[in-house]
Amino acid sequence: MKTGINSSRVQKNNRNLILKFLLEKKICSRVQLAKESNLEKATITNIVNEFFSLGIIENAGTIKTANGRSVTGIKLVLDNFIVLSLSISRICFSLYVYSINGTLLYKYSVPISTKFNEKRLESIVIYNIDEVLLKFSSYNVMGLCISLPGPYIRKKNSSIDIVEGFESLTNLNIEQLLKQKYNFYICSMHDVKVCAFGEWKNFIKTKNKIYNSLLYIGSVSSGVGAGNVINGKILNGTIGVAGEIGHMGINFNGEKKGDHPNRGSFECYASINALLDYVKDEIWRFPDSVLNDSSSTKDIFDAYYAKDELAILAFTKLANMLGYGISNMIYILNPEICVIGSAYPHDEYFINKVKETVKNLCYSYLYESIEIISSDMEYPQLIGGYYLLIDHLIEKNIFLEIIKKQNKQQKRG
């Protein structure tokens, strides 16, 4: 049964909409806000006046409208607030600090290992967060977003079961640990989904382009994952595993590796580590290659860029397998754009080989409806963490509450 929407909820939705515009546009006029939000001018006036009373916006001088008219601009002034974005992968810990409008203020990364025990991993996380809080002690923290490797499983009781091959992180339950220690808002998400959200937001910011559906494909060593953003929302699934395409079987007669339930899983053929098998399978045909049975993935990348024939063959196979998986995802999700993560080569040869495979496996009208590009973002999960946290705070009506609470505390002080 449909229910009505009360005026209080409508007002909150309108405020959230204007907040998003102000965060994205940096400086805009009341006229622009009314035009882009489709809200009445009186509604805009009420919201702007409320924001002025909270001290979160100020006049930004005279700006020109599209028709050349001079009007007064307004902008958010939340210079004393920061957002923390934390990423834990199987090989690296990173902590970035952003201003409220997305300017990077600080970054730190350190190698880690899946062999680290819980105590060592916890100490790295806590120590670095505490160091950041000390360094930015004059700022107010809006919140922290944690990007975690998959499989990322969130059960109904909100506990998180992670991560295959990373027992200490699984046992630590990092989100709950940090929520018990810190009093600011904390959320977590599968890193490849955060990457997808970062890419989607980046297109809005840099190209003023809004995609209705974006598919992101990423690989870290032996795994392959996908994130999908539809109409600005991350597709999670029932318990958070939507997009775990690395576990998708593509070869019924393939080998079963480790604890993986599927035979011939996609990640066995399209992950970066698959390059090692491709080189070993074909090395006998290329006696002049610089590669050998002990070559690392870095060695194969270096040889590829140096035009080594065996390396080119290995990456051609990888591109074909990646294209095979993408074509399957196109039939399932029908995305408007597919972004291939920075772990894969960015050069024209590789991306064209991927496109060639997709073109051969999809109907022409499907292939012509999708863009396939390489990502130009080095760490989309970190800026994505900033975007995701801001989105959570606004959607949950927490953003303004944090500011109001801080204003009260300052008045008492």
Side-chain angles (χ1 to χ4, degrees):
M1 184 178 75
K2 292 184 178 181
T3 58
I5 301 175
N6 61 45
S7 60
S8 175
R9 184 175 171 185
V10 170
Q11 289 171 2
K12 286 181 179 179
N13 289 342
N14 290 342
R15 283 195 294 265
N16 291 344
L17 184 61
I18 298 307
L19 267 176
K20 288 182 177 181
F21 278 122
L22 288 170
L23 282 165
E24 291 173 4
K25 303 296 182 182
K26 300 296 190 294
I27 298 175
C28 58
S29 69
R30 293 167 177 81
V31 174
Q32 288 173 312
L33 289 175
K35 181 178 179 181
E36 296 198 34
S37 66
N38 290 320
L39 295 176
E40 297 291 335
K41 290 182 179 180
T43 303
I44 296 296
T45 298
N46 290 335
I47 294 172
V48 168
N49 288 342
E50 179 187 359
F51 287 178
F52 267 117
S53 68
L54 289 171
I56 66 171
I57 61 172
E58 66 179 13
N59 288 324
T62 301
I63 61 174
K64 296 284 187 180
T65 62
N67 60 10
R69 180 183 163 202
S70 295
V71 295
T72 301
I74 55 176
K75 66 176 182 179
L76 282 173
V77 280
L78 293 168
D79 297 337
N80 60 329
F81 284 89
I82 56 173
V83 169
L84 310 184
S85 182
L86 186 156
S87 171
I88 300 176
S89 72
R90 291 176 176 83
I91 59 174
C92 185
F93 166 89
S94 297
L95 179 59
Y96 281 30
V97 180
Y98 293 92
S99 70
I100 206 68
N101 61 9
T103 301
L104 180 62
L105 303 176
Y106 171 86
K107 62 179 180 178
Y108 175 79
S109 296
V110 63
I112 61 173
S113 168
T114 55
K115 296 179 181 178
F116 285 3
N117 60 34
E118 293 169 44
K119 186 175 180 180
R120 185 176 180 184
L121 186 61
E122 179 182 344
S123 67
I124 291 172
V125 174
I126 299 297
Y127 173 80
N128 283 288
I129 292 176
D130 287 346
E131 283 290 297
V132 162
L133 295 179
L134 182 62
K135 183 179 179 67
F136 291 89
S137 59
S138 62
Y139 290 78
N140 302 303
V141 178
M142 291 293 286
L144 165 69
C145 182
I146 312 164
S147 299
L148 296 166
Y152 174 104
I153 301 171
R154 183 179 289 275
K155 296 181 179 178
K156 289 182 179 179
N157 62 4
S158 294
S159 66
I160 303 170
D161 290 338
I162 50 172
V163 169
E164 185 179 294
F166 203 161
E167 185 178 357
S168 58
L169 186 56
T170 299
N171 295 335
L172 201 55
N173 198 340
I174 197 72
E175 181 182 335
Q176 293 303 316
L177 172 72
L178 298 184
K179 281 182 175 179
Q180 291 169 10
K181 182 172 176 60
Y182 302 106
N183 62 0
F184 44 75
Y185 182 85
I186 296 174
C187 64
S188 67
M189 181 68 70
H190 186 190
D191 54 8
V192 75
K193 292 182 174 67
V194 182
C195 287
F197 197 69
E199 295 280 358
W200 185 77
K201 282 286 191 178
N202 187 57
F203 282 117
I204 297 174
K205 182 178 180 180
T206 61
K207 299 180 181 179
N208 198 29
K209 173 71 174 178
I210 299 177
Y211 289 99
N212 292 327
S213 178
L214 178 145
L215 173 67
Y216 176 90
I217 308 286
S219 174
V220 179
S221 63
S222 61
V224 180
N228 190 219
V229 178
I230 300 176
N231 295 325
K233 301 297 179 185
I234 294 173
L235 181 64
N236 285 309
T238 304
I239 58 173
V241 298
E244 286 286 359
I245 62 170
H247 299 270
M248 177 175 64
I250 63 170
N251 182 0
F252 183 79
N253 295 314
E255 295 181 8
K256 187 174 182 180
K257 295 189 177 182
D259 296 329
H260 202 294
N262 279 346
R263 292 183 179 275
S265 62
F266 181 52
E267 64 185 22
C268 295
Y269 303 93
S271 68
I272 295 302
N273 274 7
L275 290 168
L276 301 173
D277 291 333
Y278 296 146
V279 166
K280 289 176 183 178
D281 289 344
E282 300 289 345
I283 196 167
W284 63 275
R285 295 174 50 199
F286 298 87
D288 296 329
S289 174
V290 298
L291 300 174
N292 56 57
D293 287 340
S294 301
S295 295
S296 65
T297 54
K298 183 182 182 304
D299 295 331
I300 301 171
F301 266 89
D302 291 342
Y304 172 72
Y305 290 122
K307 307 300 183 184
D308 181 274
E309 290 186 1
L310 175 56
I312 291 173
L313 176 61
F315 272 102
T316 301
K317 286 189 173 184
L318 185 69
N320 289 339
M321 290 301 175
L322 189 60
Y324 192 102
I326 290 172
S327 66
N328 286 343
M329 296 300 287
I330 289 173
Y331 281 105
I332 297 169
L333 296 169
N334 190 204
E336 195 174 352
I337 185 170
C338 174
V339 182
I340 298 174
S342 59
Y344 294 99
H346 292 183
D347 65 308
E348 190 174 333
Y349 175 83
F350 184 82
I351 195 69
N352 282 343
K353 283 296 178 182
V354 173
K355 290 179 179 179
E356 183 180 305
T357 300
V358 174
K359 184 177 182 179
N360 290 336
L361 295 173
C362 288
Y363 289 113
S364 59
Y365 57 83
L366 274 178
Y367 177 74
E368 291 165 4
S369 71
I370 183 172
E371 292 180 58
I372 301 175
I373 65 169
S374 292
S375 172
D376 59 5
M377 300 177 70
E378 189 173 7
Y379 301 112
Q381 76 273 25
L382 288 159
I383 185 62
Y386 154 79
Y387 285 127
L388 186 61
L389 183 95
I390 294 293
D391 190 71
H392 274 210
L393 294 177
I394 293 176
E395 291 297 321
K396 295 177 181 290
N397 296 307
I398 301 172
F399 192 99
L400 290 178
E401 295 305 315
I402 293 174
I403 295 167
K404 290 176 181 178
K405 181 180 178 180
Q406 187 58 38
N407 286 346
K408 287 181 181 179
Q409 290 176 349
Q410 287 177 344
K411 287 178 182 179
R412 289 172 188 166

